[in-house]
Amino acid sequence: MRAKRISTGAAMAVGALAAASLAFAPSALAVTPQSATITADCGSFGGGEATLTATQDGTAATITVTSSAITAPIALSQDSISSTLTMVKASGGTTAFTGTKNPAMAAGDPVTVGPLSGTVASGDSLEAYGGSLQMTVFGITITCTAAGAQSPGPFVFD
């Protein structure tokens, strides 16, 4: 009988430890909204609606920019566009997302850059309006700006 009590007690202790470890496990971090749209103006290179898609893993975050309204002027190989997306912080200042990630694109294909990597803090609220996207292709820099606030609103990071 005593052995049964010890094993039952041990099982209860293990169960309690498992429950406690779940209670103290870090929660998954999420950015909201996960995607937003802007109207981009890229000067003589065109413009139109673009979608920004954000992800977060702790303080590391990524944003991918896609637009069927903005097209590749020439064929571009994979990872050939050097990009910097500068977002405006609601608390002041800016946060930059950088990288050389892009799929291969034929002339006339919709433009996609990213995921571009950046660092965020819990509570950061980032908006494209007032910032810019700079893409450098074959030494030519294309700068795009948002014509207004992103919809449905700024990215807020947990």
Side-chain angles (χ1 to χ4, degrees):
M1 183 78 154
R2 185 166 186 233
K4 185 175 183 182
R5 267 194 233 154
I6 291 173
S7 63
T8 301
M12 288 177 66
V14 168
L17 285 173
S21 67
L22 286 174
F24 294 109
S27 60
L29 297 176
V31 57
T32 52
Q34 292 181 332
S35 68
T37 58
I38 61 168
T39 300
D41 177 2
C42 301
S44 61
F45 292 96
E49 188 172 287
T51 300
L52 288 74
T53 306
T55 65
Q56 179 183 4
D57 184 9
T59 60
T62 65
I63 298 180
T64 300
V65 181
T66 58
S67 176
S68 57
I70 304 165
T71 57
I74 58 173
L76 300 168
S77 59
Q78 181 176 342
D79 301 337
S80 63
I81 303 173
S82 177
S83 303
T84 300
L85 173 65
T86 304
M87 303 283 287
V88 176
K89 286 184 175 183
S91 61
T94 60
T95 298
F97 293 83
T98 60
T100 56
K101 297 288 185 188
N102 64 272
M105 293 174 257
D109 278 357
V111 168
T112 296
V113 294
L116 306 175
S117 301
T119 302
V120 296
S122 180
D124 276 356
S125 177
L126 303 179
E127 165 71 55
Y129 186 56
S132 66
L133 171 64
Q134 290 189 327
M135 300 174 284
T136 303
V137 182
F138 302 121
I140 299 168
T141 299
I142 302 162
T143 301
C144 300
T145 57
Q150 66 190 47
S151 178
F155 293 120
V156 178
F157 295 87
D158 283 344

